[in-house]
Amino acid sequence: MSNLMSKRAVLVAPEQPIEIWERPISLPQAGEVLVKVIMGGVCGTDVHFWRGEVPLPGPLVLGHEGIGTINALGEGVTTDHAGVPVKTGDRVYWMPLRPCHSCYYCTVEEDFTLCENGMADLFRDANLPPSACYSEYSSLHAGMPFYRIPDDTPSEAVIAFGCAMPTMLQAMERLGGVKVGQTVVVQGCGPVGLAATLLAKAAGAAQIIVIGAPEQRLAMARRLGATDTIDMQVMPSAEDRLQRVHDLTGGEGVEVVIEAAGAVDAFGEGVQLLAKNGRYVVVGLWSAPGTVAIEPRYINNKNLQIIGSALYSSSHLYGAIRVAQQYHETFPMADAVTHRFSLEDSQKALDAVARLETVKAVIVP
Ligand SMILES: [Zn+2]
Ligand SMILES: [Zn+2]
């Protein structure tokens, strides 16, 4: 066991080819869990990392959306973080972020998504055992939340939405939810937009208009509950799209807009799409710098609410497993996994995601 070697895909420096490193792994210490990775989601954020849009302290192992089986349990670990008993061979989904429980946001605001130290595990030295998932094995450090995946829930239904589903669960919470019969625009049809579409449908929205591209992703949005889609490649003018939304909704605009586009221009357009008393949640611009011109009087005169939502916490990761368990037969969730790559082909996976060829790509180590 102590002689076991583990391969990992390492981002050595921005825009450099991903390297495969092999390093020994050791048995878990007290409170830790060693996981054999089944699949790791490839996220748009990984592409932002690869491009160097997030400052890198040194070589790191990519991947923050991992599902694996428990290979070994450290002393004292008998349950997951929801109190469910666990044993070797069980499938688990884990939280890549670990709040420090000692900063202002953790202890005073009790908002773990704003923890000042919560990202440390993402930037671990690539020579050390990773908790990242572009790896044959992952080491879950003590205090890193993980949850058993129920036997009736396919891994694909969970990983198809990756960090997008917990991200949207928090965004919906901060938005105050979508109510039965409401009209909704979802901007974007990547995993975050698709998760938004599914959750709006499950909440009983009457009309869900998804704006995005390419058509392959819009087709998936329709299968997940979109009542109408607007292809930005076919209708590139924001003015035309506003008119189209007005035509579809009787000229008033919509009650809820969910920004999941990841492009700053979406923001100005989203404000315009809202009806009076509309609510707008911005969830896709986390790694999209830039400014945009808007007319603030619309916010004033139409009683609009604009809400931001950053990252997610362990309760939302747990919720994402519950969504997959409850809805994987109602909606074709697992079908959103369209591409599988070996660990050695991690670079090809990133390239395919960057070119928007995938709905969801996964690494299968
Ligand atoms: Zn903290
Ligand atoms: Zn992600």
Side-chain angles (χ1 to χ4, degrees):
M1 180 66 202
S2 56
N3 295 326
L4 196 56
M5 299 294 279
S6 173
K7 286 183 195 162
R8 59 198 68 176
V10 180
L11 172 57
V12 180
E15 303 203 304
Q16 295 302 306
I18 297 292
E19 294 181 7
I20 305 297
W21 292 9
E22 198 166 23
R23 296 286 184 275
I25 51 167
S26 48
L27 280 168
Q29 304 289 305
E32 295 179 349
V33 179
L34 182 65
V35 169
K36 183 151 193 349
V37 178
I38 300 173
M39 52 180 73
V42 181
C43 180
T45 303
D46 299 334
V47 178
H48 290 295
F49 271 67
W50 183 77
R51 288 183 183 141
E53 290 164 5
V54 179
L56 305 177
L60 56 81
V61 183
L62 283 171
H64 54 268
E65 305 170 351
I67 290 178
T69 52
I70 294 174
N71 185 269
L73 291 165
E75 194 193 319
V77 183
T78 56
T79 69
D80 71 6
H81 285 227
V84 176
V86 289
K87 59 183 187 315
T88 304
D90 284 347
R91 271 183 313 151
V92 293
Y93 195 34
W94 70 94
M95 183 77 187
L97 310 174
R98 193 168 41 150
C100 72
H101 298 292
S102 57
C103 73
Y104 173 82
Y105 292 101
C106 282
T107 63
V108 179
E109 298 277 341
E110 294 183 318
D111 184 346
F112 304 128
T113 63
L114 297 178
C115 171
E116 289 167 354
N117 309 302
M119 303 263 208
D121 291 310
L122 292 183
F123 297 102
R124 237 168 176 245
D125 180 341
N127 288 295
L128 300 173
S131 55
C133 63
Y134 286 24
S135 179
E136 289 181 306
Y137 290 88
S138 289
S139 297
L140 313 192
H141 314 309
M144 184 165 262
F146 71 92
Y147 301 98
R148 188 179 184 281
I149 299 175
D151 294 336
D152 64 359
T153 305
S155 299
E156 284 82 355
V158 177
I159 209 68
F161 297 85
C163 70
M165 184 59 79
T167 296
M168 264 321 300
L169 285 171
Q170 169 170 279
M172 285 291 190
E173 208 174 273
R174 292 180 59 79
L175 174 72
V178 169
K179 294 173 182 63
V180 172
Q182 285 195 313
T183 53
V184 179
V185 161
V186 177
Q187 297 176 289
C189 52
V192 181
L194 294 176
T197 303
L198 186 155
L199 292 175
K201 187 70 177 179
Q207 218 173 356
I208 303 167
I209 304 164
V210 177
I211 302 175
E215 166 54 26
Q216 180 199 12
R217 288 181 169 187
L218 292 173
M220 181 54 70
R222 291 191 291 273
R223 294 178 69 197
L224 295 172
T227 52
D228 302 278
T229 53
I230 300 175
D231 188 331
M232 293 182 70
Q233 286 168 354
V234 175
M235 197 175 276
S237 147
E239 218 167 290
D240 292 347
R241 294 193 293 266
L242 176 65
Q243 186 57 51
R244 176 85 181 120
V245 169
H246 280 186
D247 291 345
L248 288 167
T249 56
E252 296 294 325
V254 295
E255 291 163 296
V256 173
V257 176
I258 299 168
E259 184 286 311
V264 284
D265 288 340
F267 183 72
E269 184 173 345
V271 171
Q272 298 264 339
L273 293 168
L274 285 165
K276 288 174 183 168
N277 269 328
R279 292 173 298 145
Y280 190 15
V281 65
V282 178
V283 65
L285 298 178
W286 196 77
S287 51
T291 59
V292 64
I294 65 157
E295 282 198 53
R297 68 187 170 111
Y298 290 118
I299 301 168
N300 190 141
N301 299 357
K302 291 164 85 175
N303 281 359
L304 303 184
Q305 294 180 61
I306 298 179
I307 300 145
S309 185
L311 307 174
Y312 56 91
S313 59
S314 49
S315 65
H316 307 110
L317 188 90
Y318 178 79
I321 299 173
R322 289 289 162 272
V323 169
Q325 184 179 28
Q326 190 174 344
Y327 288 111
H328 74 270
E329 287 173 335
T330 311
F331 301 107
M333 295 179 76
D335 289 1
V337 176
T338 53
H339 290 66
R340 292 162 188 265
F341 295 90
S342 67
L343 191 62
E344 286 74 12
D345 282 340
S346 294
Q347 183 67 55
K348 286 183 188 160
L350 292 173
D351 294 344
V353 170
R355 288 193 299 262
L356 304 181
E357 287 171 8
T358 61
V359 177
K360 184 70 182 183
V362 296
I363 304 283
V364 183

